[in-house]
Amino acid sequence: TYERCWHLDQEGDQNDLSWMLTECLKPKVIHSGTPCTKMCRVGKRQLDAQSKQQNYITKIIVKHQQANNLGASVENPQGSLLFEQEDWKREFGDPTTLKEPWRFYLQHGCQFAAKYPGRDDPGRPMFKPKVWMANFSLEPMELRCRNPAALVGSTHGHRQIRGTMYVDGVGTCSVAEYSGKYTGEECTVYARCVAGFCQKTVRSKTVESELTRRAAKSSLALQSNEQRPSGPVIGAAFQQ
């Protein structure tokens, strides 16, 4: 985080992040776990100004990566309003109307060790269906609990992702907030997909995009090269 708190719904932080990504890190792959609080089924499903800005910065990052033949992925819960926005569908398509090179992958969290840690029902699998959008293959992420490609589906029950729970050593916390964390198993499979993409991807000269234009407005662009973080790196991820 470079010792700062990022408010990616605010113009200044959006510009600074744009500069970090286009001038310093230049990652081959960027993943965004765009906040779904106001967009998911257990939320209000009403976009406020903050959500719109978070969606905006996600979109211009993803478009920049594609314009430069680099990788990008976005994850939100199944049913989130993010993938239903008209501007989003025009750029990237949707699960029923694909737009090259974008693909949508459905994943069930219980297949990646998503478990309820609450004292009242510890270890119960959590269904947590998620949709991943990417311009590179995430096929290994598509493990499903119900109606899978396998001959037989899972038969376990699921803990509903609602309300609060008490977790030993942590205290009372939101079940929905906890379920938003990626499991180690999930991260491992995703990392293998990223590694495969990075091995065959070569960076070229950066193509101008809305992200580079935002970067030019950053206060960080005025600092000397000696103060810049070292780079480039092969990947970067942010969860706003």
Side-chain angles (χ1 to χ4, degrees):
T1 62
Y2 296 98
E3 300 182 353
R4 63 180 286 180
C5 180
W6 295 87
H7 298 281
L8 297 182
D9 58 317
Q10 298 178 12
E11 182 178 359
D13 280 14
Q14 289 178 349
N15 292 344
D16 288 351
L17 178 64
S18 300
W19 184 84
M20 289 285 293
L21 293 175
T22 60
E23 296 295 330
C24 298
L25 299 175
K26 301 181 181 180
K28 288 186 176 181
V29 174
I30 297 177
H31 173 69
S32 173
T34 307
C36 64
T37 307
K38 302 295 176 62
M39 300 188 290
C40 63
R41 289 173 175 171
V42 298
K44 295 182 177 180
R45 291 182 66 79
Q46 294 180 346
L47 291 179
D48 57 11
Q50 183 181 44
S51 296
K52 290 179 180 178
Q53 284 300 311
Q54 291 169 339
N55 293 350
Y56 162 75
I57 188 64
T58 298
K59 184 173 71 171
I60 67 171
I61 288 172
V62 168
K63 288 177 63 178
H64 170 83
Q65 290 293 102
Q66 175 56 29
N68 286 274
N69 297 313
L70 299 173
S73 62
V74 181
E75 174 271 319
N76 249 223
Q78 186 180 29
S80 167
L81 292 177
L82 175 63
F83 301 128
E84 298 177 11
Q85 300 304 298
E86 288 302 320
D87 62 332
W88 195 275
K89 291 194 288 186
R90 282 194 300 270
E91 292 288 347
F92 312 115
D94 61 34
T96 60
T97 308
L98 299 178
K99 190 170 183 178
E100 291 293 340
W102 303 100
R103 292 290 184 271
F104 293 81
Y105 303 89
L106 176 62
Q107 167 211 349
H108 293 163
C110 58
Q111 302 301 292
F112 291 86
K115 299 178 181 179
Y116 179 81
R119 180 184 287 179
D120 56 322
D121 195 14
R124 175 75 64 180
M126 293 192 294
F127 188 44
K128 191 63 177 183
K130 301 177 183 179
V131 175
W132 296 67
M133 185 193 86
N135 62 352
F136 61 99
S137 177
L138 292 181
E139 291 181 359
M141 301 290 290
E142 281 204 300
L143 293 183
R144 304 181 188 179
C145 175
R146 302 290 186 258
N147 300 315
L151 292 176
V152 179
S154 301
T155 59
H156 58 249
H158 296 110
R159 178 74 187 198
Q160 192 173 32
I161 302 176
R162 289 185 180 276
T164 59
M165 59 184 172
Y166 185 87
V167 180
D168 290 334
V170 177
T172 302
C173 59
S174 164
V175 179
E177 183 176 343
Y178 173 85
S179 72
K181 300 176 181 178
Y182 298 141
T183 66
E185 291 80 357
E186 200 170 17
C187 294
T188 298
V189 175
Y190 178 77
R192 292 203 59 170
C193 295
V194 170
F197 175 81
C198 290
Q199 287 173 359
K200 59 184 181 183
T201 300
V202 178
R203 294 184 186 87
S204 56
K205 185 177 180 180
T206 300
V207 174
E208 183 180 358
S209 65
E210 190 170 354
L211 195 69
T212 61
R213 291 190 288 273
R214 292 297 298 266
K217 300 177 182 179
S218 169
S219 60
L220 298 177
L222 303 177
Q223 297 180 12
S224 66
N225 291 335
E226 289 77 12
Q227 294 176 299
R228 296 182 182 184
S230 60
V233 296
I234 65 169
F238 68 93
Q239 187 158 1
Q240 301 170 25

